[in-house]
Short mmCIF file of all heavy atoms in Angstrom, two decimals:
data_model
loop_
_atom_site.label_atom_id
_atom_site.label_comp_id
_atom_site.label_asym_id
_atom_site.label_seq_id
_atom_site.Cartn_x
_atom_site.Cartn_y
_atom_site.Cartn_z
N VAL A 35 -35.80 2.58 31.23
CA VAL A 35 -36.99 1.74 31.19
C VAL A 35 -36.53 0.33 30.85
O VAL A 35 -35.86 0.12 29.85
CB VAL A 35 -38.02 2.22 30.14
CG1 VAL A 35 -39.20 1.27 30.06
CG2 VAL A 35 -38.49 3.64 30.46
N GLY A 36 -36.85 -0.61 31.70
CA GLY A 36 -36.47 -1.99 31.45
C GLY A 36 -34.97 -2.18 31.30
O GLY A 36 -34.52 -2.99 30.50
N GLY A 37 -34.20 -1.42 32.08
CA GLY A 37 -32.75 -1.56 32.06
C GLY A 37 -32.06 -0.88 30.89
O GLY A 37 -30.86 -1.05 30.69
N ALA A 38 -32.79 -0.12 30.09
CA ALA A 38 -32.20 0.55 28.92
C ALA A 38 -32.53 2.04 28.93
O ALA A 38 -33.63 2.44 29.34
CB ALA A 38 -32.72 -0.09 27.64
N ALA A 39 -31.59 2.82 28.47
CA ALA A 39 -31.81 4.27 28.33
C ALA A 39 -32.73 4.50 27.15
O ALA A 39 -32.53 3.93 26.08
CB ALA A 39 -30.49 4.99 28.14
N MET A 40 -33.73 5.33 27.34
CA MET A 40 -34.65 5.71 26.27
C MET A 40 -34.23 7.10 25.79
O MET A 40 -34.22 8.05 26.57
CB MET A 40 -36.10 5.75 26.76
CG MET A 40 -36.59 4.43 27.33
SD MET A 40 -36.86 3.16 26.09
CE MET A 40 -35.71 1.90 26.63
N TYR A 41 -33.86 7.20 24.51
CA TYR A 41 -33.35 8.44 23.94
C TYR A 41 -34.46 9.23 23.26
O TYR A 41 -35.14 8.70 22.38
CB TYR A 41 -32.25 8.13 22.93
CG TYR A 41 -31.00 7.58 23.58
CD1 TYR A 41 -30.78 6.21 23.65
CD2 TYR A 41 -30.07 8.43 24.15
CE1 TYR A 41 -29.65 5.70 24.27
CE2 TYR A 41 -28.94 7.94 24.77
CZ TYR A 41 -28.73 6.57 24.83
OH TYR A 41 -27.62 6.07 25.45
N LYS A 44 -34.78 9.09 19.46
CA LYS A 44 -35.23 7.86 18.80
C LYS A 44 -36.75 7.79 18.84
O LYS A 44 -37.39 8.36 19.72
CB LYS A 44 -34.63 6.63 19.49
CG LYS A 44 -33.12 6.53 19.33
CD LYS A 44 -32.61 5.25 19.95
CE LYS A 44 -31.11 5.10 19.72
NZ LYS A 44 -30.62 3.83 20.25
N ASN A 45 -37.32 7.03 17.89
CA ASN A 45 -38.78 6.91 17.88
C ASN A 45 -39.24 5.83 18.86
O ASN A 45 -38.43 5.14 19.47
CB ASN A 45 -39.31 6.70 16.46
CG ASN A 45 -38.93 5.36 15.87
OD1 ASN A 45 -39.06 4.31 16.50
ND2 ASN A 45 -38.49 5.38 14.63
N ILE A 46 -40.54 5.71 18.99
CA ILE A 46 -41.14 4.79 19.96
C ILE A 46 -40.63 3.36 19.80
O ILE A 46 -40.26 2.72 20.78
CB ILE A 46 -42.68 4.86 19.85
CG1 ILE A 46 -43.17 6.24 20.35
CG2 ILE A 46 -43.36 3.73 20.62
CD1 ILE A 46 -44.59 6.59 19.99
N ILE A 47 -40.59 2.87 18.58
CA ILE A 47 -40.14 1.49 18.34
C ILE A 47 -38.65 1.35 18.61
O ILE A 47 -38.22 0.38 19.25
CB ILE A 47 -40.48 1.04 16.89
CG1 ILE A 47 -42.00 1.03 16.68
CG2 ILE A 47 -39.86 -0.31 16.58
CD1 ILE A 47 -42.76 0.06 17.58
N GLU A 48 -37.85 2.30 18.14
CA GLU A 48 -36.39 2.22 18.34
C GLU A 48 -36.03 2.13 19.82
O GLU A 48 -35.07 1.46 20.19
CB GLU A 48 -35.70 3.43 17.72
CG GLU A 48 -35.71 3.44 16.22
CD GLU A 48 -35.22 4.76 15.64
OE1 GLU A 48 -35.40 5.83 16.25
OE2 GLU A 48 -34.67 4.71 14.52
N ASN A 49 -36.80 2.78 20.67
CA ASN A 49 -36.55 2.71 22.11
C ASN A 49 -37.18 1.47 22.74
O ASN A 49 -36.54 0.76 23.51
CB ASN A 49 -37.09 3.97 22.81
CG ASN A 49 -36.10 5.11 22.80
OD1 ASN A 49 -34.90 4.91 23.01
ND2 ASN A 49 -36.59 6.30 22.54
N ALA A 50 -38.42 1.17 22.39
CA ALA A 50 -39.15 0.07 23.04
C ALA A 50 -38.45 -1.27 22.88
O ALA A 50 -38.47 -2.09 23.80
CB ALA A 50 -40.58 -0.01 22.51
N VAL A 51 -37.83 -1.51 21.73
CA VAL A 51 -37.18 -2.81 21.50
C VAL A 51 -36.02 -3.05 22.47
O VAL A 51 -35.62 -4.19 22.66
CB VAL A 51 -36.69 -2.98 20.04
CG1 VAL A 51 -37.85 -2.95 19.06
CG2 VAL A 51 -35.63 -1.95 19.67
N ASN A 52 -35.52 -1.99 23.11
CA ASN A 52 -34.40 -2.14 24.03
C ASN A 52 -34.82 -2.38 25.49
O ASN A 52 -34.00 -2.73 26.32
CB ASN A 52 -33.49 -0.91 23.96
CG ASN A 52 -32.82 -0.80 22.61
OD1 ASN A 52 -32.33 -1.79 22.07
ND2 ASN A 52 -32.82 0.39 22.05
N SER A 53 -36.10 -2.20 25.78
CA SER A 53 -36.58 -2.38 27.15
C SER A 53 -36.82 -3.86 27.44
O SER A 53 -37.61 -4.52 26.78
CB SER A 53 -37.90 -1.61 27.34
OG SER A 53 -38.49 -1.98 28.58
N LYS A 54 -36.15 -4.36 28.47
CA LYS A 54 -36.35 -5.76 28.88
C LYS A 54 -37.74 -5.97 29.47
O LYS A 54 -38.20 -7.10 29.55
CB LYS A 54 -35.29 -6.17 29.90
CG LYS A 54 -33.91 -6.37 29.31
CD LYS A 54 -32.95 -6.91 30.33
CE LYS A 54 -32.12 -5.75 30.84
NZ LYS A 54 -31.23 -6.07 31.93
N ASP A 55 -38.42 -4.90 29.86
CA ASP A 55 -39.75 -5.00 30.47
C ASP A 55 -40.89 -4.94 29.45
O ASP A 55 -42.06 -5.00 29.83
CB ASP A 55 -39.96 -3.87 31.48
CG ASP A 55 -39.07 -4.01 32.69
OD1 ASP A 55 -38.53 -5.11 32.93
OD2 ASP A 55 -38.92 -3.00 33.43
N HIS A 56 -40.56 -4.78 28.16
CA HIS A 56 -41.61 -4.61 27.15
C HIS A 56 -41.48 -5.58 25.98
O HIS A 56 -41.91 -5.29 24.86
CB HIS A 56 -41.62 -3.15 26.67
CG HIS A 56 -42.11 -2.22 27.72
ND1 HIS A 56 -41.26 -1.62 28.62
CD2 HIS A 56 -43.36 -1.82 28.04
CE1 HIS A 56 -41.98 -0.89 29.46
NE2 HIS A 56 -43.25 -0.99 29.13
N LYS A 57 -40.94 -6.74 26.22
CA LYS A 57 -40.78 -7.76 25.16
C LYS A 57 -42.14 -8.21 24.62
O LYS A 57 -42.32 -8.38 23.42
CB LYS A 57 -39.97 -8.96 25.66
CG LYS A 57 -38.56 -8.61 26.09
CD LYS A 57 -37.73 -8.08 24.95
CE LYS A 57 -36.31 -7.79 25.39
NZ LYS A 57 -35.61 -6.91 24.48
N THR A 58 -43.11 -8.41 25.51
CA THR A 58 -44.44 -8.86 25.08
C THR A 58 -45.12 -7.78 24.25
O THR A 58 -45.70 -8.08 23.20
CB THR A 58 -45.31 -9.22 26.30
OG1 THR A 58 -44.61 -10.18 27.10
CG2 THR A 58 -46.64 -9.80 25.88
N LEU A 59 -45.02 -6.53 24.69
CA LEU A 59 -45.63 -5.43 23.95
C LEU A 59 -45.02 -5.31 22.56
O LEU A 59 -45.74 -5.17 21.56
CB LEU A 59 -45.49 -4.12 24.71
CG LEU A 59 -46.05 -2.87 24.01
CD1 LEU A 59 -47.55 -3.01 23.77
CD2 LEU A 59 -45.75 -1.63 24.83
N VAL A 60 -43.70 -5.38 22.48
CA VAL A 60 -43.02 -5.28 21.18
C VAL A 60 -43.46 -6.43 20.26
O VAL A 60 -43.77 -6.20 19.08
CB VAL A 60 -41.48 -5.24 21.35
CG1 VAL A 60 -40.77 -5.41 20.02
CG2 VAL A 60 -41.07 -3.93 22.02
N ALA A 61 -43.54 -7.63 20.80
CA ALA A 61 -43.98 -8.78 19.99
C ALA A 61 -45.42 -8.59 19.51
O ALA A 61 -45.76 -8.90 18.36
CB ALA A 61 -43.87 -10.08 20.81
N ALA A 62 -46.27 -8.04 20.38
CA ALA A 62 -47.67 -7.80 20.01
C ALA A 62 -47.78 -6.72 18.93
O ALA A 62 -48.56 -6.86 17.98
CB ALA A 62 -48.48 -7.41 21.25
N VAL A 63 -46.99 -5.68 19.06
CA VAL A 63 -46.98 -4.59 18.06
C VAL A 63 -46.55 -5.16 16.70
O VAL A 63 -47.15 -4.83 15.67
CB VAL A 63 -46.08 -3.43 18.51
CG1 VAL A 63 -45.79 -2.46 17.37
CG2 VAL A 63 -46.72 -2.69 19.68
N LYS A 64 -45.55 -6.02 16.70
CA LYS A 64 -45.10 -6.66 15.46
C LYS A 64 -46.21 -7.54 14.88
O LYS A 64 -46.50 -7.49 13.69
CB LYS A 64 -43.83 -7.48 15.70
CG LYS A 64 -42.60 -6.64 15.93
CD LYS A 64 -41.38 -7.50 16.22
CE LYS A 64 -40.16 -6.64 16.52
NZ LYS A 64 -38.98 -7.47 16.88
N VAL A 69 -45.73 -1.67 13.66
CA VAL A 69 -44.37 -1.14 13.79
C VAL A 69 -44.21 0.13 12.95
O VAL A 69 -43.74 1.15 13.45
CB VAL A 69 -43.31 -2.20 13.40
CG1 VAL A 69 -41.93 -1.59 13.30
CG2 VAL A 69 -43.32 -3.34 14.41
N LEU A 72 -45.96 3.18 14.44
CA LEU A 72 -45.32 3.74 15.63
C LEU A 72 -43.90 4.25 15.36
O LEU A 72 -43.27 4.82 16.24
CB LEU A 72 -45.33 2.72 16.77
CG LEU A 72 -46.73 2.44 17.32
CD1 LEU A 72 -46.69 1.33 18.37
CD2 LEU A 72 -47.37 3.70 17.89
N GLN A 73 -43.41 4.05 14.14
CA GLN A 73 -42.15 4.65 13.73
C GLN A 73 -42.39 5.93 12.95
O GLN A 73 -41.46 6.66 12.67
CB GLN A 73 -41.34 3.68 12.85
CG GLN A 73 -40.74 2.53 13.61
CD GLN A 73 -39.98 1.58 12.71
OE1 GLN A 73 -40.34 1.32 11.57
NE2 GLN A 73 -38.89 1.03 13.24
N ALA A 82 -47.75 2.15 27.79
CA ALA A 82 -47.06 0.90 27.49
C ALA A 82 -47.10 -0.08 28.67
O ALA A 82 -46.36 0.09 29.64
CB ALA A 82 -45.61 1.19 27.10
N ASP A 85 -44.26 -6.35 30.69
CA ASP A 85 -44.44 -7.80 30.59
C ASP A 85 -45.22 -8.31 31.79
O ASP A 85 -46.07 -9.21 31.66
CB ASP A 85 -43.09 -8.51 30.50
CG ASP A 85 -42.38 -8.23 29.18
OD1 ASP A 85 -43.01 -7.73 28.23
OD2 ASP A 85 -41.17 -8.52 29.10
N GLN A 175 -39.96 10.67 23.25
CA GLN A 175 -39.52 10.02 22.01
C GLN A 175 -39.49 11.09 20.91
O GLN A 175 -40.11 12.14 21.05
CB GLN A 175 -40.52 8.94 21.61
CG GLN A 175 -41.01 8.05 22.73
CD GLN A 175 -39.95 7.10 23.23
OE1 GLN A 175 -39.43 6.30 22.48
NE2 GLN A 175 -39.62 7.18 24.50
N ILE A 180 -43.96 8.06 25.85
CA ILE A 180 -44.44 6.81 26.44
C ILE A 180 -44.63 7.02 27.93
O ILE A 180 -43.81 7.66 28.59
CB ILE A 180 -43.42 5.66 26.21
CG1 ILE A 180 -43.31 5.30 24.73
CG2 ILE A 180 -43.79 4.43 27.03
CD1 ILE A 180 -42.23 4.28 24.42
#
Side-chain angles (χ1 to χ4, degrees):
V35 176
M40 302 288 120
Y41 292 96
K44 293 184 177 183
N45 68 47
I46 292 165
I47 297 298
E48 289 171 329
N49 275 318
V51 297
N52 294 316
S53 170
K54 286 186 260 174
D55 292 344
H56 290 90
K57 299 296 182 198
T58 306
L59 178 61
V60 169
V63 166
K64 288 177 182 177
V69 171
L72 292 175
Q73 287 179 324
D85 291 345
Q175 316 289 301
I180 293 174

